[in-house]
């Protein structure tokens, strides 16, 4: 049985620096380069997480929860959203996506979103699947408000 990991958040440690969002953008950018030349005005450089604040100015990092019973997967008519039986992550296949955005409408946490430039596919956390070192957001958080936890 493979290890099951989840991104966990301790919002009391978050200072709203958005290092996690920048790290996500860097990890998923289409061109190569360093964080220092990342074009923040380019709509294709989107973060798969966000930092929100409540009425009191308290920061809340928002990430895909890779739910046990994901409503996005249940709502997906094209099969683009699936739950991986091994690592239990909710995965998205853009080639299968019909851009109906039923997953967006059914995410109870409002995390999944249409891409900004074209509105033809969805943006969601992929746990930095292409990076053998794991999610960039976790490594980038200076306060360790975002961390990996093994789950059962």
């Amino acid at each position: 049985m493979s290890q099951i990991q989840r991104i966990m958040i301790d919002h009391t440690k978050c200072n709203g620096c958005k290092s996690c969002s920048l790290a996500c953008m860097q990890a998923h950018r289409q061109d190569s380069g360093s964080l220092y030349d990342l074009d923040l005005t380019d709509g294709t450089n989107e973060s798969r997480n966000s930092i929100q604040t409540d009425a009191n100015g308290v920061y809340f990092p928002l990430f895909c929860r890779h739910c046990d019973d994901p409503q996005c997967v249940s709502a997906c008519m094209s099969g683009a959203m699936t739950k991986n039986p091994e690592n239990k992550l909710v995965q998205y296949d853009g080639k299968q996506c019909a851009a109906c955005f039923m997953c967006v409408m059914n995410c109870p946490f409002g995390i999944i979103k249409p891409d900004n430039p074209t509105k033809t596919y969805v943006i969601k956390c992929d746990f930095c699947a292409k990076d053998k070192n794991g999610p960039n957001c976790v490594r980038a958080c200076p306060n360790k408000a975002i961390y990996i936890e093994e789950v059962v």
Side-chain angles (χ1 to χ4, degrees):
M1 184 170 160
S2 62
Q3 292 181 338
I4 299 172
Q5 298 180 326
R6 289 290 174 273
I7 295 173
M8 305 302 282
I9 300 163
D10 180 350
H11 77 88
T12 63
K13 292 181 178 180
C14 181
N15 66 3
C17 71
K18 298 192 178 188
S19 291
C20 57
S21 295
L22 288 170
C24 182
M25 293 167 78
Q26 173 67 17
H28 295 93
R29 70 190 289 180
Q30 300 302 311
D31 60 349
S32 61
S34 74
L35 180 63
Y36 300 108
D37 65 5
L38 178 64
D39 183 357
L40 301 179
T41 63
D42 182 352
T44 62
N45 293 330
E46 291 184 74
S47 177
R48 281 131 176 87
N49 60 54
S50 66
I51 307 295
Q52 303 294 319
T53 55
D54 68 8
N56 298 316
V58 176
Y59 295 106
F60 288 93
L62 299 175
F63 290 75
C64 177
R65 298 179 183 212
H66 298 278
C67 302
D68 291 332
D69 182 21
Q71 299 303 305
C72 60
V73 172
S74 300
C76 182
M77 298 178 283
S78 66
M81 289 283 187
T82 57
K83 179 112 174 158
N84 183 309
E86 286 186 31
N87 62 19
K88 308 293 186 207
L89 295 175
V90 174
Q91 297 175 322
Y92 170 70
D93 180 355
K95 294 177 185 139
Q96 296 279 330
C97 186
C100 67
F101 303 123
M102 291 300 292
C103 57
V104 174
M105 292 182 272
N106 282 278
C107 176
F109 304 103
I111 305 297
I112 302 172
K113 62 183 180 178
D115 74 293
N116 276 330
T118 66
K119 307 285 191 255
T120 58
Y121 61 95
V122 298
I123 300 292
K124 73 167 290 305
C125 173
D126 63 0
F127 217 75
C128 288
K130 295 177 182 171
D131 191 334
K132 64 180 175 7
N133 296 315
N136 282 3
C137 58
V138 173
R139 291 193 311 274
C141 183
N143 295 335
K144 307 299 180 211
I146 305 163
Y147 58 97
I148 297 290
E149 188 172 282
E150 302 285 329
V151 294
V152 181

